[in-house]
Every structure is written in structure tokens, then in C-alpha cells.
Amino acid sequence: MSRALEVNKATYPRRSALVLLVIVAFAFTGRLLSPFDAERVGTGPALAAPDRVHLMGTDELGRDLFNRVLSGTQVSLFVGVAAAFAAAVAGVLVGAFAGFTGGWTDDALMRITEVFQVMPRFFLAMMLVAFFGPSLVNVVSAIALLSWPQLARVVRAEFLSLRSRDYVEAARAAGARDLDLMFMKILPNALGPAMASGTLLVAQAILIEAGLSYLGLGDPSRVSLGVMLHQAQPIMRSAWWATAFPGLAIFATVISVNLVGEGLSERWQPQTR
Amino acid sequence: MKGRRSAPLLAYCLRRLAQAIPLVLTVFVINFLLIHAAPGDPVDLLLGGLDSDPAFQEQVRRDLGLDQPMSRQLWSYLANAARLDLGYSFRFREDVGTLIASRLPASLLLMGASFLLSVCAGIGFGVVAAYRAGGAGERALTVLTLSGYSMPVFWLGQLMLLVFAVGLGWFPIQGMVSLRAPSAGLDRVLDISHHLVLPALTYSVYQLTLIYRLTRVKMRETLALDFVKAARARGIPELVVAFRHALPNAMLSVVTIMGLHVGHMLAGSVLTETVFSWPGMGRLMYEAINARDMPLLLGLFTCIAVTVIVVNVVTDVIYAVLDPRVVYS
């Protein structure tokens, strides 16, 4: 490949990781710039355009959009990371056992994984949240429950190729137990690809949460970017800022997570490019 | 030659269909579990919190067989599903099947239009990018497509509305027909097309992105193969080499991967229809969520999940038909 591409590969992930860090830091410290309560009504005039007091303007109830966007971003990040983490733990466990043991355990686990993979994720998450109630815990659990199969398959593939390597055989010959082999010898070498697809899961989880809350399935006790966008639609004619900024926050977060994820997967799976 | 291939192909199709049956059953079991595992009385849930007198509730309980033992209920639920009976929406006072069918044409119109758009544009851009690897145009397209799938589709729709409907006033804000000036005949077709532009553009971005990325990668791989070089050496014009020789080969894997993303695409259509108040199935789903209309929600979920399963089977079969190298096992 050309040199230009190599430069891209090396710098894009690092640069996007930096952008992501800035976003995360800003979501938690941005309040210092403009300390309004995100939930409070009437912090200023209703539908005020962005100015030096209300950095992103206000909505129809006079709530400060800047602080609402910050809180919403925190919630999005929490949902993304928590769901991806839970899915990663489940996926690594299933994938490790399936790949390491092989045989009928592998077959059975992979059949179950396939069933989960075919089911449309967004809609199943939607049904779970609609029936069990839209609390943040339910949203995170629903997304995690539907996201682990992707990771399980990645980890299983790594285990399949690693389990008969010489260094594993050597450890086995030296008397290492199966659990040691799995988690101390093989897993560390399978973590790279798992991290890469785990990062992409964070981005997907954030988008799913945004979609669910836009449709009216967000946790009503939290500020959510999806809910904000839903509320922005009736006032679109008079307040473009209510639509522009919450969406921009989702977009910036998701694209930087995606870029980091792509960088990681290019690093760990050179054969896919 | 053809006869020899068609017998195993038919067997393959049938086997693939048979594998889909347990998946479809799983969908119904999920529905059943949702109704019974969710907190609260199933009758309340199905009635959607409508205020109703206890006698009516009892009647519903008996009619739906909710007073029977669990195993019996699951059995009758599956039997109803097999008769394509999706239940009754107490909110809309209408059969769920009828409701969904009445919204289907609008959804199909939107999906069809944007699918056509994304296939043509995605493949076109993909082929061009495969030839111009490393150019500025390719880099711009790559950034654009990455944005395309990092953006919530409903926000993209809202931005379209902000710019093209509210700002420039080129397109209507919502709906499928103008209510102020009802039209007929050709005027009606034009009116619907006018309403269709923004939702179709919005909805096609994700698919376009996907098709573009896949086409670019696969085309680049295919263009480096020997048979392409041989075709060029025979003096065949490059356009013919690209579209008659290389593209069909590259499209094989594009078709399969598109099939795997159909669930995601349907999710996009629900969100798009909600933004633009497009009167299709997606909008119906949004209405069902906000009215807490559980029977309708279950019916819609069933349709969507079964569609996804069927599309998976169909793409596998298409792949088998297109690629003579597939071993039917």
C-alpha cells in the first residue's frame, strides 16, 4: 500500500483516541463553563438562541441546553461502556469455553450464538425495554444481552487458532490446568481482537440507546440525547440549536469511538484490510 | 449441466428453509416469554392500561386463554401464529394483521425507493473508488461514509428537515401526501414523490455507506485477479471489464453481507418513518410504543423478526445460485 495510507493507519487511531478523551473529559468538566442545572426549568428565557450565557441556547421550557447535552453525553457514555463491558465479559466467557473445549460444547454454544445473532437486535432491545420498563439498568442489560454474540465469535476464533500452538502445548506438558491455560496463557493473546470489537460495541450501544430513547423508550429520570432530539422536533422551526447540538454530541462521540475501534481492528486483524 | 446443478440446489434450499423453522419458533417463544415474564398482569399489559371494568378484563382473560395452564397457553399461542393470527389491538380496535397490512405499502415504497438509490449510488461510487485508490476523492468518500454510519439516522433526518424543509422550503415537513390540497391521478404521484425525497435520502445513507464500503474492498480484490488481467489482455474495454467481468464477482459477498444487515436496515426505517411521520409500519411501531399497545408491538416484532430470518435464507440461496463453486452442505 502507499505511504499515505500507512501514515493514516498510524495516526488516525491515536488522533481519534485523543478526540475521544477530550469528549469524555468535556462531558464531565464542561459544567465549569456554565453551571446551570440540567433539569431546571426557566434558567433563562424560553427558546433563547446560543449566546455567552447559554452556550447552546435554551429549549421551550427555558432549560439550559449546554448542560443538558453534557448530562446526556455522560448517560450515553455510561450506557455504551457498561453495555459493551457486560457483553464483553459474557462474550469472552462463552467464546473461550467454546473455542477451548471444542466438540459438542462448542457446537451447542455456537448454535445459541447464531440464534441470538439472527434476531434483530434493535427490535429485541426495544421489546425488552417496552415490556420490562425503560430504566437505565434495563436499557443497558437489553443491549448487553444482545451484543455478546459478536464478541463470542471473535474470541472463539482466536482460541481455536491459539489452543494448539506450541507454547500452549508446552504449558500443558508442564502440567498447567485447563483454566490456567485458558485464562493465563491463551486469553492474553486473544485480548487484542476482543478489545477491537468491544470498542465497536460501545459505539453501537450508544446508537441503540439514542434510537430507543428517541422512540420514547428512554429512562424518564435521566437526561438523554435521544429524548432531547425527540423534544426538539416540534420546536424545530424556532430553535435549530435544540436539534443541532444533542445530535452533534452523539455523532462526535460515536465517530471517535468508531475510529478508535477501526484503528484497533486494523492493528489486530491485518488480514481484513 | 443445468439439470445436474438444480437437484442439489433445490435440496439445499429446502434444507436451508428447514433450518429457519426453529428460529421462527424462537421468535414466538420470545413473544410468549415477554408477555408472561414482564412485571404485571398479562391482561393489563395487553389492554395497555386502558381503564376497563373487571368483567371485561375477565372476558379478555378467558378469550385469550390466559386462565389456562402455561403449557396449554404456549401451545394455543403457537397455533394462532400458525394461522397467521397476530392478535387484536385494543387501542386501535382493529386486528393487528389488518393494521400492519394497511401500513405496509407506504413502508415498501420508502424502502424500495431508497434501496434502489443506495444500490445504484453505492455500487457506482464503490467501483470508482476501487479504481482511484489513494486519491483525494476516495479519502473524501471514506470520511463521508464513516460519518454515514456513525450518525443516528433520525438526527440525519432532522438535519435534512432543518435545511431543506424549514430553511429552504423545498420539501414538505412531514407525511406522505399534502392534506391541504388533496390531489388525484398524476398530481397525486408527484405529490407523493415530493414527500418521498427527504425520507428516502435519509434512509438510504446507511445502506449506501455499507454497499459502497463493501463494493470498494471487493472490487479492489477482484481487479487484481488473473481473469481480469486476461480480459484486459484480450483488449476488452475497461468499462466492460469493470461491469461485466469484475463487478458480478465482487457482488457475491456484497449480497451476503447485505443480507446480514437487514435487521439494522429495518431499524433505520422505523426511525426514519418516525422523523418524517411517514405513515408506514415504522411509524405504527412508534405509535404502538407510545400508546403502550403491546399486542400491536408483538405483532410488528413478529413480522420484522420473521422477515429478517427469511431474508437470511433468501440471501444464502441467492448466493448459492450465483456462485457455482458453493458446495451444498
Side-chain angles (χ1 to χ4, degrees), chain A residues 36-45 53-54 57-58 61-65:
Chain A
F36 288 107
D37 186 343
E39 313 267 4
R40 224 182 83 210
V41 172
T43 58
V53 183
H54 297 284
T58 61
L61 298 174
R63 290 177 295 194
D64 179 63
L65 284 174

Side-chain angles (χ1 to χ4, degrees), chain A residues 118 122-124 127 130-132 210 214-215 229-230 233 236-237 243-244 247-248 250-251 254-255 258-259 262, chain B residues 34 37-38 45 146-147 149-150 152 154-155 158 162 173 213 266-267 270 274-275 286 290 294 298 301 304 308:
Chain A
V118 175
F122 181 77
F123 293 103
L124 205 45
M127 298 302 282
F131 275 85
F132 287 86
Y214 178 75
L215 290 175
L229 285 171
H230 186 252
Q233 204 152 341
M236 191 179 266
R237 277 179 185 285
T243 301
L248 198 62
I250 304 177
F251 177 52
V254 172
I255 199 168
N258 268 337
L259 280 169
E262 293 228 332
Chain B
L34 280 171
L45 208 62
L146 194 65
S147 314
Y149 82 47
S150 300
F154 54 95
W155 185 56
Q158 292 181 317
L162 264 181
I173 293 255
R213 285 174 67 112
L266 290 171
V270 171
T274 305
V275 175
Y286 169 74
N290 285 285
M294 296 311 180
L298 286 167
F301 175 68
I304 287 166
V308 170

Side-chain angles (χ1 to χ4, degrees), chain A residues 153 165 169 253:
Chain A
R153 292 178 77 106
R165 294 280 171 86
E169 291 300 338
T253 314

Side-chain angles (χ1 to χ4, degrees), chain A residues 35-235:
Chain A
F36 288 107
D37 186 343
E39 313 267 4
R40 224 182 83 210
V41 172
T43 58
L47 298 177
D51 58 22
R52 293 174 66 177
V53 183
H54 297 284
L55 297 172
M56 293 183 180
T58 61
D59 64 7
E60 77 279 20
L61 298 174
R63 290 177 295 194
D64 179 63
L65 284 174
F66 178 70
N67 277 287
R68 290 181 70 70
V69 166
L70 293 183
S71 311
T73 310
Q74 290 174 18
V75 172
S76 287
L77 287 168
F78 171 75
V79 170
V81 172
F85 183 76
V89 171
V92 164
L93 285 178
V94 173
F97 273 101
F100 188 78
T101 38
W104 69 266
T105 330
D106 182 30
D107 272 349
L109 285 174
M110 281 302 111
R111 284 294 98 71
I112 297 172
T113 312
E114 275 162 24
V115 171
F116 269 91
Q117 271 204 313
V118 175
M119 293 299 151
R121 261 205 306 170
F122 181 77
F123 293 103
L124 205 45
M126 181 192 250
M127 298 302 282
L128 286 170
V129 176
F131 275 85
F132 287 86
S135 71
L136 207 55
V137 176
N138 283 355
V139 173
V140 169
S141 326
I143 299 175
L145 184 67
L146 303 168
S147 303
W148 63 264
Q150 261 169 289
L151 239 133
R153 292 178 77 106
V154 172
V155 174
R156 170 179 173 269
E158 289 298 314
F159 266 70
L160 276 180
S161 84
L162 289 172
R163 70 171 177 193
S164 47
R165 294 280 171 86
D166 286 344
Y167 81 95
V168 179
E169 291 300 338
R172 196 194 302 274
R177 285 175 311 140
D178 277 358
L179 280 180
D180 276 343
L181 287 177
M182 278 169 74
F183 292 106
M184 305 308 289
K185 302 290 175 202
I186 303 183
L187 187 59
N189 287 307
L191 270 185
M195 288 261 292
S197 60
T199 312
L200 296 174
L201 278 184
V202 175
Q204 291 170 19
I206 293 176
L207 282 178
I208 293 179
E209 191 275 336
L212 289 178
S213 47
Y214 178 75
L215 290 175
L217 291 170
D219 187 334
S221 65
R222 313 273 169 157
V223 181
S224 153
L225 296 171
V227 175
M228 288 178 72
L229 285 171
H230 186 252
Q231 292 165 344
Q233 204 152 341
I235 55 172

